[in-house]
């Protein structure tokens, strides 16, 4: 009997990327009828987090995982986190080669799937004559931009943020240069150089698996499939999202508190697994929540001038001590403040949750859509501004607060937007659109749904290779 087809998965360091590609691996195995096996080779910066380890312990026996030796940067390094993540993969290539050599002696290796920021690893796939795929955990709109960027790089001599007209990405809502992903905001920097290289590598892959579905991004997905652009095959297989991590930090407290609230009355406030605010912005957000008079559940992190400072590192400071004096006491009947983490999937699925003030990370966006929760868009870094434009201008499922001349969103503006979402007709209309997205997402995941059929065909192709 022929051995099962074996694929190797390479995520990039960072919790949000790991969880998405792990969920993809689980779904791929589920739809392969036992004819596929998966090995995850996980590059690491410093040491793996306890949460990452806990996730891997829940995997089925057909998915094996190995943390590769840690790559360390000195504390004094000025290398941006996004670049460190990619360099960690590049410096892990010798370990990946070694692992592939060992696997190939006893397995029928057929393909490698690498996260976008781990695409340097695909050189190892070519060396072993494996099919090479990129797993793209963000939106189809962002993928469209990434595939379009090499051409844009040749055509536009100036900084993109200085363009007077919006960029017309095939199939997408027009977007101004200032809202393009963070790595392309300075074309002279190292981050841009690395990001452009990743976008060029997309064109070299045998295909790209994107975590989206037709019901939420019909235009971009249709454009990605059109001939004439020279794009690789694109497989829309979303929504792929976590179903709950079993982490008990603050979990039971959050859910108990929500049980005592009126349906659709609570604004959930969280900036994802890595987002942070400055001290001034933290103060204004606190003021706005208090002024709104609306119920809130706020996941607070210690402030930082770097918007993604918690992306790889857990913070040791008690974040609650950075809140304005007396805030927790004054709002104890109005809201619940929890440090660093909450069970987001369960919170968004709770009937009391009526809105989500979010950084617009794609994982959080999909989790909101699949629970029909209206949004307040507050992007911080990466491609989040692009997602915010799509959610606000394109899908019209989010309100977006306006910043003042200092770049801060003031407390009164926060209060106004929250009230509009929870109490206004505008918020109810957004809720109806979100419910439509929820239904479309559920339909895509059914046995005959577009995303399930796409993933099954992908698995069939791997098994027969």
């Amino acid at each position: 009997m022929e051995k099962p087809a074996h694929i190797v998965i390479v995520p990039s360091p960072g919790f949000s990327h790991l969880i998405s590609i792990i969920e993809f691996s689980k779904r791929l195995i589920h739809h392969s009828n036992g004819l596929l096996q998966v090995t995850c080779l996980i590059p690491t910066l410093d040491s793996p987090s306890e949460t990452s380890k806990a996730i891997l312990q829940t995997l089925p026996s057909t998915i094996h995982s190995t943390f590769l030796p840690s790559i360390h940067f000195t504390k004094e390094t000025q290398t941006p986190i996004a670049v460190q993540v990619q360099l960690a993969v590049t410096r892990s290539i010798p370990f990946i080669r070694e692992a592939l050599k060992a696997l190939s002696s006893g397995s029928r290796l057929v393909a490698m799937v690498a996260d976008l920021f781990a695409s340097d690893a695909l050189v190892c796939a070519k060396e072993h004559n494996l099919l090479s795929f990129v797993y793209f955990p963000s939106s189809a709109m962002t993928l469209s931009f990434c595939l379009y960027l090499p051409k844009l790089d040749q055509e536009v001599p100036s900084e993109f943020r200085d363009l007077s007209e919006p960029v017309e990405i095939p199939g997408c809502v027009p977007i101004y240069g200032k809202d393009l992903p963070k790595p392309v905001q300075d074309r002279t920097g190292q981050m841009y150089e690395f990001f452009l290289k990743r976008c060029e590598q997309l064109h070299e892959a045998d295909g790209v698996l994107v975590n989206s579905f037709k019901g939420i991004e019909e235009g971009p997905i249709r454009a990605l499939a059109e001939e004439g652009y020279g794009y690789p095959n694109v497989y829309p297989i979303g929504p792929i999202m976590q179903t709950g991590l079993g982490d008990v930090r603050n979990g039971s407290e959050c859910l108990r508190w929500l049980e005592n609230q009126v349906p659709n009355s609570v604004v959930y406030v969280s900036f994802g697994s890595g987002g942070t605010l400055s001290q001034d912005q933290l103060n204004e957000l606190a003021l706005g929540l208090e002024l709104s008079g609306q119920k809130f559940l706020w996941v607070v992190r210690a402030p930082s001038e770097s918007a993604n400072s918690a992306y790889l590192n857990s913070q040791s400071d008690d974040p609650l001590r950075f809140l304005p004096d007396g805030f927790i006491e004054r709002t104890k009947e109005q809201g619940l403040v929890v440090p660093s983490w909450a069970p987001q999937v369960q919170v968004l699925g709770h009937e009391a949750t009526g809105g989500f003030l979010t950084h617009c990370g794609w994982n959080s966006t999909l989790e909101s859509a699949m629970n029909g929760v209206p949004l307040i868009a507050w992007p911080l870094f990466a491609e989040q501004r692009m997602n915010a434009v799509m959610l606000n201008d394109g899908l019209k499922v989010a309100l977006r607060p306006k910043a003042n001349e200092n770049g801060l969103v003031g407390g009164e503006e926060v209060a106004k937007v929250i009230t509009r979402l929870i109490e206004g007709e505008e918020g109810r209309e957004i809720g109806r659109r979100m419910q439509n997205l929820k239904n479309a997402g559920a339909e895509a995941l059914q046995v005959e749904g577009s995303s399930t059929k796409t993933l099954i065909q992908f698995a069939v192709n791997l098994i027969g290779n």
Side-chain angles (χ1 to χ4, degrees):
M1 184 176 174
E2 190 176 30
K3 294 177 181 176
H6 201 126
I7 68 170
V8 172
I9 304 284
V10 184
S12 59
F15 177 73
S16 61
H17 283 249
L18 175 63
I19 185 62
S20 186
I21 206 167
I22 286 293
E23 291 295 329
F24 155 72
S25 302
K26 287 160 65 174
R27 191 175 297 175
L28 180 63
I29 287 292
H30 175 72
H31 289 298
S32 70
N33 293 321
L35 299 177
L36 269 180
Q37 289 187 335
V38 169
T39 294
C40 292
L41 302 176
I42 307 170
T44 56
L45 266 172
D46 299 322
S47 56
S49 70
E50 292 304 315
T51 310
S52 297
K53 292 177 185 176
I55 293 167
L56 299 177
Q57 289 171 0
T58 67
L59 294 178
S61 60
T62 44
I63 302 179
H64 306 278
S65 62
T66 302
F67 284 109
L68 300 175
S70 294
I71 305 299
H72 298 280
F73 288 85
T74 62
K75 294 293 184 185
E76 294 74 30
T77 184
Q78 298 301 305
T79 308
I81 290 174
V83 173
Q84 288 185 37
V85 163
Q86 295 168 73
L87 285 175
V89 175
T90 307
R91 294 176 187 179
S92 296
I93 285 177
F95 309 127
I96 295 171
R97 283 197 176 107
E98 189 178 326
L100 284 178
K101 184 178 179 181
L103 284 170
S104 61
S105 63
S107 303
R108 184 168 71 91
L109 287 179
V110 296
M112 176 184 285
V113 179
D115 180 86
L116 173 67
F117 292 123
S119 54
D120 268 1
L122 293 177
V123 67
C124 302
K126 301 295 184 187
E127 292 167 0
H128 283 261
N129 296 314
L130 307 178
L131 293 171
S132 60
F133 299 94
V134 173
Y135 178 73
F136 198 87
S138 300
S139 68
M141 180 178 177
T142 305
L143 174 58
S144 294
F145 171 71
C146 290
L147 288 166
Y148 187 56
L149 180 61
K151 181 181 179 183
L152 198 65
D153 180 71
Q154 296 296 315
E155 293 178 346
V156 177
S158 65
E159 291 286 359
F160 301 132
R161 63 175 178 265
D162 296 331
L163 293 173
S164 58
E165 296 296 321
V167 177
E168 300 281 351
I169 305 166
C172 302
V173 62
I175 185 162
Y176 283 94
K178 64 182 175 58
D179 287 322
L180 292 174
K182 180 79 171 188
V184 307
Q185 291 300 325
D186 177 9
R187 295 176 70 181
T188 65
Q190 190 181 28
M191 283 176 64
Y192 181 75
E193 175 189 341
F194 272 68
F195 191 76
L196 179 61
K197 181 182 177 184
R198 300 297 160 251
C199 295
E200 291 167 344
Q201 286 172 331
L202 282 170
H203 290 268
E204 300 167 7
D206 292 304
V208 182
L209 300 129
V210 61
N211 186 12
S212 192
F213 59 99
K214 292 178 181 177
I216 196 171
E217 293 195 278
E218 187 172 354
I221 287 172
R222 184 173 59 247
L224 287 167
E226 288 179 4
E227 295 182 4
Y229 294 120
Y231 293 164
N233 290 326
V234 174
Y235 303 87
I237 55 171
I240 290 173
M241 56 187 214
Q242 66 191 59
T243 54
L245 302 178
D247 192 324
V248 297
R249 289 177 297 164
N250 312 322
S252 55
E253 180 187 10
C254 292
L255 299 177
R256 277 198 308 270
W257 184 82
L258 285 170
E259 284 298 317
N260 293 318
Q261 310 308 319
V262 173
N264 300 313
S265 66
V266 176
V267 175
Y268 172 57
V269 182
S270 175
F271 295 95
S273 59
T276 46
L277 303 177
S278 68
Q279 181 66 69
D280 287 344
Q281 186 61 83
L282 190 76
N283 293 342
E284 292 295 331
L285 177 54
L287 174 62
L289 289 168
E290 188 173 354
L291 283 175
S292 76
Q294 305 295 331
K295 296 284 188 173
F296 65 85
L297 170 54
W298 184 10
V299 182
V300 176
R301 269 203 197 89
S304 170
E305 293 305 315
S306 174
N308 62 349
S309 67
Y311 181 67
L312 291 170
N313 305 307
S314 59
Q315 297 176 306
S316 55
D317 284 329
D318 173 16
L320 302 190
R321 73 181 182 86
F322 295 96
L323 292 171
D325 288 345
F327 173 79
I328 292 179
E329 180 62 27
R330 290 194 305 273
T331 60
K332 64 183 180 182
E333 301 299 326
Q334 180 188 351
L336 177 66
V337 181
V338 296
S340 303
W341 186 91
Q344 179 160 299
V345 175
Q346 292 92 329
V347 169
L348 290 172
H350 199 284
E351 66 173 3
T353 304
F356 181 14
L357 193 159
T358 173
H359 65 311
C360 302
W362 193 240
N363 286 341
S364 291
T365 298
L366 290 178
E367 288 162 11
S368 295
M370 292 306 289
N371 286 289
V373 178
L375 300 172
I376 295 172
W378 192 309
L380 295 178
F381 60 96
E383 87 291 9
Q384 293 162 12
R385 291 180 71 91
M386 179 177 276
N387 292 342
V389 171
M390 176 178 66
L391 294 166
N392 181 242
D393 299 348
L395 293 169
K396 302 188 185 304
V397 293
L399 301 177
R400 192 167 178 183
K402 295 180 175 64
N404 62 24
E405 63 277 5
N406 298 318
L408 289 178
V409 179
E412 291 186 358
E413 173 71 4
V414 173
K416 183 170 68 174
V417 171
I418 289 174
T419 302
R420 282 167 58 197
L421 190 75
I422 296 297
E423 291 188 354
E425 177 56 36
E426 198 174 11
R428 284 187 283 276
E429 186 60 36
I430 287 174
R432 286 190 281 272
R433 294 191 194 103
M434 265 301 201
Q435 191 63 42
N436 291 337
L437 291 186
K438 177 181 178 178
N439 295 339
E443 186 177 327
L445 295 179
Q446 290 175 359
V447 175
E448 291 298 315
S450 59
S451 293
T452 298
K453 288 166 72 173
T454 299
L455 187 58
I456 289 172
Q457 188 57 55
F458 177 74
V460 168
N461 292 344
L462 291 182
I463 292 163
N465 185 57

